[in-house]
Coordinates of all heavy atoms in Angstrom, one line a residue:
T1 N 0.9 -62.4 -2.1 CA 2.3 -62.7 -1.8 C 3.0 -61.4 -1.3 O 2.5 -60.3 -1.4 CB 3.0 -63.2 -3.1 OG1 3.1 -62.2 -4.0 CG2 2.3 -64.4 -3.7
G2 N 4.2 -61.6 -0.8 CA 5.0 -60.5 -0.3 C 4.5 -60.0 1.1 O 4.9 -59.0 1.5
V3 N 3.6 -60.7 1.7 CA 3.1 -60.3 3.0 C 4.2 -60.6 4.1 O 4.7 -61.8 4.1 CB 1.8 -61.0 3.4 CG1 1.4 -60.6 4.8 CG2 0.7 -60.6 2.4
Q4 N 4.5 -59.6 4.9 CA 5.5 -59.9 5.9 C 4.8 -59.9 7.3 O 3.8 -59.2 7.5 CB 6.6 -58.8 6.0 CG 7.4 -58.7 4.7 CD 8.5 -57.6 4.8 OE1 8.3 -56.6 5.5 NE2 9.6 -57.8 4.1
T5 N 5.3 -60.8 8.1 CA 4.7 -60.8 9.5 C 5.8 -60.4 10.4 O 7.0 -60.5 10.2 CB 4.3 -62.2 9.8 OG1 5.4 -63.1 9.7 CG2 3.2 -62.7 8.9
C6 N 5.4 -59.9 11.5 CA 6.3 -59.4 12.6 C 6.0 -60.2 13.9 O 4.9 -60.0 14.4 CB 6.2 -57.9 12.8 SG 7.2 -57.3 14.1
A7 N 6.9 -61.0 14.3 CA 6.7 -61.7 15.6 C 7.1 -60.8 16.7 O 8.2 -60.4 16.9 CB 7.6 -63.0 15.6
L8 N 6.1 -60.5 17.5 CA 6.3 -59.6 18.7 C 6.7 -60.5 19.8 O 6.2 -61.6 20.0 CB 5.0 -58.8 19.0 CG 4.6 -57.8 17.9 CD1 3.3 -57.2 18.3 CD2 5.7 -56.8 17.8
P9 N 7.5 -60.0 20.7 CA 7.9 -60.8 21.9 C 6.7 -61.0 22.8 O 5.8 -60.1 22.9 CB 9.0 -60.0 22.5 CG 8.8 -58.6 22.1 CD 8.2 -58.7 20.7
I10 N 6.6 -62.1 23.5 CA 5.6 -62.3 24.5 C 6.3 -62.1 25.9 O 7.3 -62.7 26.2 CB 5.0 -63.7 24.4 CG1 4.3 -64.0 23.1 CG2 4.1 -64.0 25.6 CD1 3.9 -65.4 22.8
L11 N 5.7 -61.2 26.7 CA 6.2 -60.9 28.0 C 5.3 -61.4 29.0 O 4.1 -61.3 29.0 CB 6.3 -59.4 28.1 CG 7.2 -58.6 27.2 CD1 7.1 -57.1 27.4 CD2 8.7 -59.1 27.3
L12 N 5.8 -62.0 30.1 CA 5.1 -62.4 31.3 C 5.6 -61.6 32.4 O 6.8 -61.7 32.8 CB 5.3 -63.9 31.5 CG 4.7 -64.4 32.8 CD1 3.2 -64.3 32.9 CD2 5.1 -65.9 33.0
F13 N 4.8 -60.8 33.0 CA 5.1 -60.0 34.2 C 4.6 -60.8 35.5 O 3.5 -61.2 35.5 CB 4.5 -58.7 34.2 CG 5.1 -57.8 33.1 CD1 4.4 -57.5 32.0 CD2 6.3 -57.2 33.3 CE1 4.9 -56.7 31.0 CE2 6.9 -56.3 32.4 CZ 6.2 -56.1 31.2
V14 N 5.6 -61.0 36.4 CA 5.2 -61.7 37.7 C 5.3 -60.6 38.7 O 6.4 -60.1 39.0 CB 6.2 -62.8 38.0 CG1 5.8 -63.5 39.3 CG2 6.2 -63.8 36.8
I15 N 4.2 -60.2 39.3 CA 4.2 -59.2 40.4 C 4.3 -60.0 41.7 O 3.5 -60.8 42.0 CB 2.9 -58.3 40.3 CG1 2.9 -57.6 39.0 CG2 2.9 -57.3 41.5 CD1 1.6 -56.9 38.7
T16 N 5.3 -59.6 42.5 CA 5.5 -60.4 43.8 C 6.2 -59.5 44.8 O 6.7 -58.4 44.5 CB 6.5 -61.6 43.4 OG1 6.7 -62.3 44.6 CG2 7.8 -61.1 42.8
D17 N 6.2 -60.0 46.0 CA 7.1 -59.4 47.1 C 8.5 -59.9 47.0 O 9.4 -59.5 47.7 CB 6.5 -59.6 48.5 CG 6.5 -61.1 48.9 OD1 6.9 -61.9 48.1 OD2 6.0 -61.4 50.0
G18 N 8.7 -60.8 46.0 CA 10.1 -61.3 45.7 C 10.6 -62.4 46.6 O 11.7 -62.9 46.4
L19 N 9.8 -62.9 47.5 CA 10.3 -63.9 48.4 C 9.5 -65.2 48.2 O 8.5 -65.5 48.9 CB 10.1 -63.5 49.9 CG 10.9 -62.2 50.2 CD1 10.5 -61.7 51.6 CD2 12.4 -62.5 50.2
P20 N 10.0 -66.1 47.3 CA 9.3 -67.3 47.1 C 9.6 -68.3 48.2 O 10.6 -68.2 48.9 CB 9.9 -67.9 45.8 CG 11.3 -67.3 45.8 CD 11.2 -65.9 46.4
D21 N 8.6 -69.2 48.5 CA 8.8 -70.2 49.5 C 10.0 -71.1 49.1 O 10.7 -71.6 50.0 CB 7.6 -71.1 49.6 CG 6.4 -70.3 50.2 OD1 6.7 -69.3 51.0 OD2 5.3 -70.7 50.0
N22 N 10.2 -71.3 47.8 CA 11.3 -72.2 47.4 C 12.0 -71.5 46.2 O 11.5 -71.6 45.0 CB 10.8 -73.6 47.0 CG 11.8 -74.6 46.6 OD1 12.8 -74.2 46.0 ND2 11.6 -75.8 46.9
A23 N 13.1 -70.8 46.4 CA 13.7 -70.0 45.3 C 14.2 -70.9 44.2 O 14.2 -70.6 43.1 CB 14.9 -69.2 45.9
K24 N 14.7 -72.1 44.6 CA 15.3 -73.0 43.6 C 14.1 -73.4 42.6 O 14.3 -73.4 41.4 CB 15.9 -74.3 44.2 CG 16.5 -75.2 43.2 CD 17.1 -76.4 43.9 CE 17.7 -77.3 42.8 NZ 17.6 -78.7 43.1
Q25 N 13.0 -73.8 43.2 CA 11.9 -74.2 42.4 C 11.3 -73.1 41.5 O 11.0 -73.2 40.4 CB 10.8 -74.8 43.2 CG 9.6 -75.4 42.4 CD 8.5 -76.0 43.3 OE1 8.3 -75.6 44.4 NE2 7.9 -77.0 42.7
A26 N 11.3 -71.9 42.1 CA 10.8 -70.7 41.4 C 11.7 -70.4 40.2 O 11.3 -70.1 39.1 CB 10.7 -69.5 42.3
G27 N 13.0 -70.5 40.4 CA 14.0 -70.4 39.3 C 13.8 -71.4 38.2 O 13.9 -71.1 37.0
E28 N 13.6 -72.7 38.6 CA 13.4 -73.7 37.6 C 12.1 -73.5 36.8 O 12.1 -73.7 35.6 CB 13.3 -75.1 38.4 CG 14.6 -75.6 38.9 CD 14.5 -76.8 39.8 OE1 13.4 -77.2 40.1 OE2 15.5 -77.2 40.3
M29 N 11.1 -73.1 37.5 CA 9.8 -72.8 36.7 C 10.0 -71.6 35.8 O 9.5 -71.6 34.7 CB 8.7 -72.5 37.7 CG 8.3 -73.8 38.6 SD 7.9 -75.2 37.6 CE 6.4 -74.7 36.7
T30 N 10.7 -70.6 36.3 CA 10.9 -69.4 35.4 C 11.7 -69.9 34.2 O 11.4 -69.5 33.0 CB 11.7 -68.3 36.2 OG1 10.9 -67.9 37.3 CG2 12.0 -67.1 35.3
N31 N 12.8 -70.7 34.4 CA 13.6 -71.1 33.2 C 12.8 -72.0 32.3 O 13.0 -71.9 31.1 CB 14.8 -71.8 33.8 CG 15.8 -70.9 34.3 OD1 16.0 -69.7 33.8 ND2 16.5 -71.3 35.3
A32 N 11.8 -72.8 32.8 CA 11.0 -73.6 31.9 C 10.1 -72.7 31.0 O 10.0 -73.0 29.8 CB 10.1 -74.5 32.8
V33 N 9.6 -71.6 31.6 CA 8.8 -70.7 30.8 C 9.7 -70.0 29.7 O 9.4 -69.8 28.6 CB 8.1 -69.6 31.7 CG1 7.5 -68.5 30.8 CG2 7.1 -70.3 32.5
L34 N 10.9 -69.6 30.2 CA 11.9 -68.9 29.3 C 12.2 -69.8 28.1 O 12.4 -69.3 26.9 CB 13.2 -68.5 30.0 CG 13.0 -67.3 31.0 CD1 14.3 -67.3 31.9 CD2 12.8 -66.0 30.3
R35 N 12.3 -71.1 28.3 CA 12.7 -72.0 27.2 C 11.6 -72.1 26.2 O 11.9 -72.5 25.0 CB 13.0 -73.4 27.8 CG 14.3 -73.5 28.5 CD 14.8 -74.9 28.8 NE 13.9 -75.6 29.7 CZ 14.0 -75.6 31.0 NH1 14.9 -74.9 31.6 NH2 13.1 -76.2 31.8
T36 N 10.4 -71.7 26.5 CA 9.3 -71.7 25.5 C 9.3 -70.5 24.6 O 8.5 -70.3 23.7 CB 7.9 -71.8 26.2 OG1 7.6 -70.6 26.9 CG2 7.8 -73.0 27.1
G37 N 10.2 -69.5 24.9 CA 10.3 -68.3 24.1 C 9.6 -67.1 24.8 O 9.6 -66.0 24.2
V38 N 9.0 -67.3 25.9 CA 8.3 -66.2 26.6 C 9.4 -65.5 27.5 O 10.1 -66.2 28.2 CB 7.2 -66.7 27.5 CG1 6.6 -65.6 28.3 CG2 6.1 -67.4 26.6
E39 N 9.4 -64.2 27.4 CA 10.3 -63.4 28.3 C 9.6 -63.2 29.6 O 8.4 -62.8 29.7 CB 10.6 -62.1 27.7 CG 11.6 -62.2 26.5 CD 13.0 -62.7 26.9 OE1 13.4 -62.4 28.0 OE2 13.6 -63.4 26.1
V40 N 10.3 -63.4 30.7 CA 9.7 -63.3 32.1 C 10.4 -62.1 32.7 O 11.7 -62.0 32.8 CB 9.9 -64.6 32.9 CG1 9.4 -64.4 34.3 CG2 9.3 -65.7 32.2
I41 N 9.6 -61.2 33.3 CA 10.2 -60.1 34.0 C 9.4 -60.0 35.4 O 8.2 -59.9 35.4 CB 10.0 -58.7 33.3 CG1 10.7 -58.8 32.0 CG2 10.5 -57.6 34.2 CD1 10.5 -57.6 31.1
Y42 N 10.2 -60.1 36.5 CA 9.6 -60.0 37.8 C 9.5 -58.6 38.2 O 10.4 -57.8 38.0 CB 10.4 -60.8 38.8 CG 10.2 -62.3 38.8 CD1 10.7 -63.1 37.9 CD2 9.4 -62.8 39.9 CE1 10.5 -64.5 37.9 CE2 9.2 -64.2 39.9 CZ 9.7 -65.0 38.9 OH 9.5 -66.4 38.9
L43 N 8.3 -58.2 38.8 CA 8.1 -56.9 39.3 C 8.0 -57.0 40.8 O 7.0 -57.5 41.3 CB 6.9 -56.2 38.7 CG 6.8 -56.1 37.2 CD1 5.5 -55.6 36.7 CD2 7.9 -55.2 36.7
V44 N 9.1 -56.6 41.5 CA 9.2 -56.9 42.9 C 8.8 -55.6 43.7 O 9.4 -54.6 43.5 CB 10.6 -57.3 43.3 CG1 10.7 -57.6 44.8 CG2 11.1 -58.5 42.5
I45 N 7.8 -55.7 44.6 CA 7.4 -54.6 45.4 C 7.8 -54.9 46.8 O 7.5 -56.0 47.4 CB 5.8 -54.5 45.4 CG1 5.3 -54.3 43.9 CG2 5.4 -53.3 46.3 CD1 3.8 -54.3 43.8
G46 N 8.6 -54.0 47.4 CA 9.0 -54.1 48.8 C 10.5 -53.9 48.9 O 11.1 -53.1 48.2
S47 N 11.1 -54.7 49.8 CA 12.5 -54.6 50.1 C 13.4 -55.0 48.9 O 13.1 -56.0 48.3 CB 12.8 -55.4 51.3 OG 14.2 -55.5 51.5
S48 N 14.4 -54.2 48.7 CA 15.4 -54.6 47.6 C 16.1 -55.9 47.9 O 16.6 -56.6 47.0 CB 16.4 -53.4 47.3 OG 17.1 -53.2 48.5
S49 N 16.2 -56.2 49.2 CA 16.9 -57.5 49.5 C 16.1 -58.7 49.0 O 16.6 -59.8 48.8 CB 17.1 -57.6 51.0 OG 15.8 -57.7 51.7
A50 N 14.8 -58.5 48.7 CA 14.0 -59.6 48.1 C 14.4 -59.9 46.7 O 13.9 -60.9 46.2 CB 12.5 -59.2 48.2
C51 N 15.2 -59.1 46.1 CA 15.6 -59.3 44.7 C 16.9 -60.2 44.6 O 17.3 -60.5 43.5 CB 15.9 -58.0 44.0 SG 14.5 -56.9 44.0
K52 N 17.5 -60.5 45.7 CA 18.8 -61.2 45.7 C 18.7 -62.6 45.0 O 19.5 -62.9 44.2 CB 19.3 -61.5 47.1 CG 20.5 -62.3 47.2 CD 21.7 -61.5 47.7 CE 22.9 -62.4 47.9 NZ 23.5 -62.8 46.7
W53 N 17.6 -63.3 45.2 CA 17.5 -64.6 44.5 C 17.4 -64.4 43.0 O 17.9 -65.3 42.2 CB 16.4 -65.5 45.1 CG 15.0 -65.0 44.6 CD1 14.2 -64.1 45.2 CD2 14.2 -65.6 43.5 NE1 13.0 -64.0 44.5 CE2 13.0 -64.9 43.5 CE3 14.5 -66.6 42.6 CZ2 12.0 -65.2 42.5 CZ3 13.5 -66.9 41.7 CH2 12.3 -66.2 41.6
L54 N 16.7 -63.3 42.6 CA 16.6 -63.1 41.1 C 18.0 -62.7 40.5 O 18.3 -63.1 39.4 CB 15.6 -61.9 40.9 CG 14.1 -62.3 41.3 CD1 13.3 -61.0 41.4 CD2 13.6 -63.2 40.2
E55 N 18.7 -61.9 41.3 CA 20.1 -61.5 40.8 C 20.9 -62.8 40.7 O 21.6 -63.0 39.7 CB 20.7 -60.5 41.8 CG 20.1 -59.2 41.8 CD 20.6 -58.3 42.9 OE1 21.3 -58.8 43.8 OE2 20.3 -57.1 42.8
D56 N 20.9 -63.6 41.7 CA 21.7 -64.8 41.7 C 21.3 -65.8 40.6 O 22.2 -66.4 40.0 CB 21.5 -65.6 43.0 CG 22.1 -64.8 44.2 OD1 22.9 -63.9 44.0 OD2 21.8 -65.2 45.4
A57 N 20.0 -65.8 40.2 CA 19.6 -66.7 39.2 C 19.6 -66.0 37.8 O 19.3 -66.6 36.8 CB 18.1 -67.1 39.4
K58 N 20.1 -64.7 37.8 CA 20.2 -64.0 36.5 C 18.8 -63.9 35.8 O 18.7 -64.1 34.6 CB 21.3 -64.6 35.6 CG 22.6 -64.5 36.2 CD 23.7 -65.1 35.3 CE 25.1 -65.0 35.8 NZ 25.4 -64.8 37.1
I59 N 17.8 -63.7 36.6 CA 16.4 -63.5 36.1 C 16.1 -62.0 36.0 O 16.4 -61.3 37.0 CB 15.4 -64.2 37.0 CG1 15.7 -65.7 36.9 CG2 14.0 -63.9 36.5 CD1 14.9 -66.5 37.9
K60 N 15.5 -61.5 34.9 CA 15.2 -60.1 34.8 C 14.1 -59.7 35.8 O 13.2 -60.4 36.1 CB 14.6 -59.8 33.4 CG 15.6 -60.1 32.3 CD 15.0 -59.8 30.9 CE 16.0 -60.1 29.8 NZ 15.4 -59.9 28.5
F61 N 14.4 -58.5 36.4 CA 13.4 -58.0 37.3 C 13.5 -56.5 37.4 O 14.5 -55.9 37.0 CB 13.7 -58.6 38.7 CG 14.9 -58.1 39.4 CD1 14.9 -57.0 40.3 CD2 16.1 -58.7 39.2 CE1 16.0 -56.6 40.9 CE2 17.3 -58.3 39.8 CZ 17.2 -57.2 40.6
A62 N 12.5 -55.9 37.9 CA 12.4 -54.5 38.3 C 12.0 -54.4 39.7 O 11.1 -55.2 40.1 CB 11.5 -53.7 37.3
H63 N 12.5 -53.4 40.4 CA 12.1 -53.3 41.8 C 11.4 -51.9 42.1 O 11.9 -50.9 41.5 CB 13.4 -53.4 42.7 CG 13.2 -53.0 44.1 ND1 13.6 -51.8 44.7 CD2 12.5 -53.7 45.1 CE1 13.2 -51.8 45.9 NE2 12.6 -52.9 46.2
A64 N 10.4 -52.0 42.9 CA 9.8 -50.8 43.4 C 9.6 -50.9 44.9 O 9.2 -51.9 45.4 CB 8.4 -50.6 42.7
K65 N 9.8 -49.8 45.6 CA 9.7 -49.8 47.1 C 8.2 -50.0 47.5 O 7.9 -50.5 48.5 CB 10.2 -48.5 47.7 CG 11.7 -48.4 47.6 CD 12.2 -47.1 48.3 CE 13.6 -46.9 48.1 NZ 14.1 -45.6 48.7
N66 N 7.3 -49.4 46.6 CA 5.9 -49.5 47.0 C 5.1 -49.6 45.7 O 5.6 -49.5 44.6 CB 5.5 -48.3 47.8 CG 5.9 -47.0 47.2 OD1 5.7 -46.8 46.0 ND2 6.4 -46.1 48.0
A67 N 3.8 -49.8 45.8 CA 2.9 -49.9 44.6 C 3.0 -48.7 43.7 O 2.9 -48.8 42.5 CB 1.5 -50.2 45.1
E68 N 3.2 -47.5 44.3 CA 3.2 -46.3 43.5 C 4.4 -46.3 42.5 O 4.4 -45.7 41.4 CB 3.3 -45.0 44.3 CG 2.0 -44.7 45.1 CD 1.8 -45.6 46.3 OE1 2.7 -46.2 46.9 OE2 0.6 -45.8 46.7
G69 N 5.4 -47.0 42.9 CA 6.6 -47.1 42.0 C 6.6 -48.2 41.0 O 7.5 -48.4 40.2
L70 N 5.5 -49.0 41.0 CA 5.4 -50.2 40.1 C 5.4 -49.8 38.7 O 6.1 -50.4 37.9 CB 4.2 -51.0 40.5 CG 4.0 -52.3 39.8 CD1 5.2 -53.2 40.0 CD2 2.7 -53.0 40.2
I71 N 4.6 -48.9 38.3 CA 4.5 -48.5 36.9 C 5.8 -48.0 36.3 O 6.2 -48.5 35.3 CB 3.3 -47.5 36.6 CG1 2.0 -48.2 37.0 CG2 3.3 -47.0 35.2 CD1 1.6 -49.4 36.2
P72 N 6.4 -47.0 37.0 CA 7.7 -46.6 36.4 C 8.8 -47.7 36.3 O 9.5 -47.8 35.4 CB 8.2 -45.5 37.4 CG 6.9 -45.0 38.1 CD 6.0 -46.2 38.1
A73 N 8.8 -48.6 37.3 CA 9.7 -49.7 37.3 C 9.4 -50.6 36.1 O 10.3 -51.1 35.4 CB 9.6 -50.5 38.6
M74 N 8.1 -50.9 35.9 CA 7.7 -51.8 34.8 C 8.1 -51.1 33.4 O 8.6 -51.8 32.6 CB 6.2 -52.0 34.9 CG 5.7 -53.0 33.8 SD 4.0 -53.4 33.9 CE 3.2 -51.8 33.7
V75 N 7.8 -49.8 33.3 CA 8.1 -49.2 32.0 C 9.6 -49.2 31.8 O 10.1 -49.4 30.6 CB 7.6 -47.7 32.1 CG1 8.1 -46.9 30.9 CG2 6.0 -47.7 32.1
S76 N 10.4 -49.0 32.8 CA 11.9 -49.0 32.6 C 12.4 -50.3 32.2 O 13.2 -50.5 31.3 CB 12.6 -48.5 33.8 OG 13.0 -49.5 34.7
K77 N 11.8 -51.4 32.7 CA 12.2 -52.8 32.4 C 11.8 -53.1 31.0 O 12.5 -53.8 30.2 CB 11.7 -53.7 33.4 CG 12.4 -55.1 33.3 CD 13.9 -55.1 33.3 CE 14.5 -55.1 34.6 NZ 15.9 -55.3 34.6
V78 N 10.6 -52.7 30.6 CA 10.1 -53.0 29.2 C 11.0 -52.3 28.2 O 11.4 -52.8 27.2 CB 8.6 -52.7 29.0 CG1 8.2 -52.7 27.6 CG2 7.8 -53.6 29.9
A79 N 11.3 -51.0 28.5 CA 12.2 -50.3 27.6 C 13.6 -50.9 27.4 O 14.1 -51.0 26.3 CB 12.3 -48.8 28.1
E80 N 14.1 -51.4 28.6 CA 15.4 -52.1 28.5 C 15.3 -53.4 27.7 O 16.2 -53.7 26.9 CB 15.8 -52.4 30.0 CG 17.1 -53.2 30.1 CD 17.4 -53.6 31.5 OE1 17.2 -52.8 32.4 OE2 17.7 -54.8 31.7
F81 N 14.2 -54.1 27.9 CA 14.0 -55.4 27.1 C 13.9 -55.2 25.6 O 14.5 -55.9 24.8 CB 12.8 -56.1 27.7 CG 12.4 -57.3 26.8 CD1 13.2 -58.4 26.8 CD2 11.3 -57.3 26.0 CE1 12.9 -59.5 26.0 CE2 11.0 -58.3 25.2 CZ 11.8 -59.5 25.2
L82 N 13.2 -54.1 25.3 CA 12.9 -53.9 23.8 C 14.1 -53.2 23.1 O 14.1 -53.1 21.9 CB 11.6 -53.1 23.7 CG 10.4 -53.8 24.1 CD1 9.2 -52.9 24.0 CD2 10.2 -55.1 23.3
S83 N 15.0 -52.6 23.9 CA 16.1 -51.9 23.2 C 17.2 -52.9 22.7 O 17.3 -54.0 23.0 CB 16.7 -50.9 24.2 OG 17.3 -51.5 25.3

């Protein structure tokens, strides 16, 4: 008795160029996953303009201009999410 459990958050990282064929459907699918309790963070590589649909949909994302910037962008978003 007296055993405590710690529920850790589940994170789903979506690595993308940020330009879905159908932004409305992508947002709906993301929201469906969020409703299950999974946190979704998009990692967008490329143009910052590709993040507009994520901003409009209020979906969490990190942006990197190129693949070399992906890890720092990911780390900063995870730190933001966990704080």
Side-chain angles (χ1 to χ4, degrees):
T1 68
V3 175
Q4 294 181 335
T5 59
C6 178
L8 296 175
I10 298 172
L11 301 175
L12 171 64
F13 291 102
V14 180
I15 301 173
T16 180
D17 65 0
L19 299 169
D21 292 333
N22 184 327
K24 182 179 181 216
Q25 185 178 31
E28 289 170 357
M29 294 305 295
T30 301
N31 286 326
V33 173
L34 289 167
R35 284 192 298 274
T36 70
V38 174
E39 287 296 326
V40 178
I41 301 173
Y42 279 76
L43 302 173
V44 181
I45 301 171
S47 171
S48 61
S49 64
C51 301
K52 175 109 175 74
W53 77 275
L54 293 163
E55 291 172 347
D56 293 346
K58 297 180 178 20
I59 295 172
K60 294 178 183 180
F61 70 93
H63 170 254
K65 290 182 183 178
N66 53 44
E68 289 77 22
L70 184 60
I71 297 300
M74 182 175 65
V75 169
S76 93
K77 191 52 84 169
V78 170
E80 176 185 315
F81 170 70
L82 295 176
S83 63

